[in-house]
Amino acid sequence: MTVAHPGLTVWFTGLSGSGKSTLSLAVSDQLAASGYRVQLLDGDEVRLFLSKGLGFSKEDRDENIRRIGYVAELLTRNGVITLVSAISPYRSARDAVRIRIPNFLEVFVNAPIEECERRDVKGLYKRARAGEIKTFTGISDPYEQPLHPELECRTDLESVPESVQRVIDAILSQIMPK
Amino acid sequence: MTVAHPGLTVWFTGLSGSGKSTLSLAVSDQLAASGYRVQLLDGDEVRLFLSKGLGFSKEDRDENIRRIGYVAELLTRNGVITLVSAISPYRSARDAVRIRIPNFLEVFVNAPIEECERRDVKGLYKRARAGEIKTFTGISDPYEQPLHPELECRTDLESVPESVQRVIDAILSQIMPK
């Protein structure tokens, strides 16, 4: 049973290890189980498909985000709830995507970098500290926090189910008729 | 009023000037006017968004088609009738896309190259003959015709409305319950 609803892009931004993948996957599963039309675009996966050859300079990161934004826009305009999980460290690149998409919800997945580094789910912080990754967001490359995100999830202070519920509430309040 | 239907990718392949854009645009307009969820992906436009930096070698053309195919797959899996208009000269690249997409309809937009060159809508054949474009499909670069397309439109022998109707009939017979 599919629910009829307009499209929406939910953009999860935050440091590596902040909880973007965990949150976006849980939100996706819960919405899909309730019959919503939902598509998760994971930054790492999309990069493989759309951005072969791009690196991690500001220019290449921005181009990667622009491409993800284009796909999110197409899906959103066709009535899909599109969840993007991508570090997307530059404010200007996120704002450029926002402008193009009719229905946009920015979720700042926020945990202190010390906490992200302590989690170090993928072992990337360790490699960054060892100098094996030269441009690592938060360590040797900038992360520009959102100034006015629609939602902020402090994943060091609230549980995953609490964050998931707040994101879902925000989504439903945007797409459901008042 | 939106019609409920599964997704489908309709892939228009053919030489420059064969009529892909004309056909796909007319099909898109007609389906949208009838309430179908439809998205047109024009090869030239998509290239700007997804394939900045890619050229026209076989490798780059294949990578471009792979990216368009990825976007078409996402849209199709989310219930959108996705019309792709792209020369897509290599059979193997088209077949690789076909394998990934659950519901796929290849339309060979076919006119003899002499006729395409006579039309020369964008003035590209003239430039190719003058040597200004080095790798031009059909002149100095290969075009591999589909061996078993679901549909072939001989745009030199049938009118645009005739071709459009045949494509729409093929689409509806694929997505409508038997």
Side-chain angles (χ1 to χ4, degrees):
Chain A
M1 175 61 193
T2 305
V3 183
H5 55 79
L8 167 72
T9 288
V10 186
W11 195 280
F12 297 82
T13 173
L15 296 170
S16 178
S18 60
K20 299 181 301 300
S21 295
T22 304
L23 269 187
S24 57
L25 188 59
V27 169
S28 173
D29 286 349
Q30 201 162 315
L31 288 175
S34 302
Y36 292 89
R37 208 181 280 263
V38 59
Q39 178 66 52
L40 176 58
L41 299 176
D42 182 83
D44 291 342
E45 192 201 309
V46 179
R47 199 174 245 276
L48 286 180
F49 282 103
L50 296 184
S51 294
K52 203 176 107 179
L54 292 184
F56 294 89
S57 66
K58 177 173 191 309
E59 191 185 7
D60 280 7
R61 285 183 189 269
D62 284 354
E63 179 63 22
N64 181 47
I65 293 306
R66 208 171 67 98
R67 291 178 189 176
I68 298 177
Y70 174 66
V71 176
E73 181 189 348
L74 289 173
L75 288 163
T76 299
R77 290 190 184 278
N78 282 288
V80 179
I81 300 173
T82 309
L83 311 176
V84 175
S85 165
I87 296 173
S88 45
Y90 294 104
R91 196 175 291 136
S92 59
R94 295 193 305 265
D95 288 348
V97 168
R98 174 193 288 273
I99 287 168
R100 294 188 56 93
I101 299 184
N103 216 355
F104 191 87
L105 203 155
E106 187 175 26
V107 180
F108 178 23
V109 186
N110 190 10
I113 190 159
E114 298 75 23
E115 169 67 10
C116 295
E117 186 162 3
R118 194 191 58 72
R119 295 174 185 166
D120 205 7
V121 187
K122 302 177 189 168
L124 295 174
Y125 283 93
K126 198 175 171 191
R127 292 182 53 207
R129 292 291 182 195
E132 291 171 32
I133 306 174
K134 297 298 174 196
T135 50
F136 192 78
T137 299
I139 304 288
S140 46
D141 221 42
Y143 179 76
E144 300 173 355
Q145 298 198 352
L147 298 179
H148 305 292
E150 277 76 7
L151 201 65
E152 179 177 352
C153 294
R154 280 290 303 260
T155 59
D156 57 326
L157 301 178
E158 63 186 26
S159 70
V160 172
E162 281 168 347
S163 295
V164 168
Q165 194 55 54
R166 289 177 60 229
V167 174
I168 286 179
D169 289 348
I171 291 172
L172 297 185
S173 80
Q174 279 231 16
I175 65 171
M176 284 301 156
K178 302 288 183 298
Chain B
M1 175 59 195
T2 305
V3 182
H5 56 78
L8 167 72
T9 289
V10 186
W11 195 282
F12 296 82
T13 174
L15 295 171
S16 178
S18 60
K20 299 182 299 301
S21 295
T22 303
L23 268 188
S24 56
L25 187 60
V27 169
S28 173
D29 286 349
Q30 200 162 316
L31 289 175
S34 302
Y36 292 89
R37 208 182 279 264
V38 59
Q39 178 67 52
L40 176 58
L41 299 176
D42 182 84
D44 291 342
E45 191 200 310
V46 178
R47 198 174 245 276
L48 286 179
F49 282 102
L50 297 184
S51 295
K52 203 175 105 177
L54 292 184
F56 294 88
S57 66
K58 178 173 191 308
E59 191 185 6
D60 281 7
R61 285 182 189 268
D62 283 355
E63 179 63 22
N64 181 48
I65 293 306
R66 209 172 66 99
R67 292 178 188 176
I68 298 177
Y70 174 65
V71 176
E73 181 188 347
L74 289 173
L75 289 163
T76 299
R77 290 191 185 279
N78 282 286
V80 179
I81 300 172
T82 309
L83 311 176
V84 176
S85 163
I87 296 173
S88 44
Y90 294 104
R91 197 175 292 136
S92 59
R94 295 192 306 265
D95 288 348
V97 169
R98 173 193 289 272
I99 287 169
R100 295 187 56 93
I101 299 184
N103 216 355
F104 191 88
L105 203 156
E106 188 175 26
V107 180
F108 179 24
V109 185
N110 190 10
I113 190 159
E114 298 74 23
E115 169 67 11
C116 296
E117 187 162 3
R118 194 191 58 71
R119 296 174 185 166
D120 205 8
V121 187
K122 302 177 188 167
L124 295 173
Y125 282 92
K126 198 174 169 191
R127 291 182 53 207
R129 292 291 183 193
E132 292 171 33
I133 306 173
K134 297 298 174 196
T135 50
F136 192 79
T137 299
I139 304 288
S140 45
D141 220 42
Y143 178 77
E144 299 173 355
Q145 299 198 353
L147 298 178
H148 306 290
E150 276 76 7
L151 201 65
E152 178 176 353
C153 294
R154 280 291 302 261
T155 59
D156 57 325
L157 300 179
E158 63 188 22
S159 70
V160 172
E162 281 168 347
S163 295
V164 168
Q165 194 55 54
R166 289 177 58 228
V167 175
I168 287 179
D169 289 347
I171 292 172
L172 297 185
S173 80
Q174 279 231 15
I175 64 171
M176 285 301 157
K178 301 290 182 296

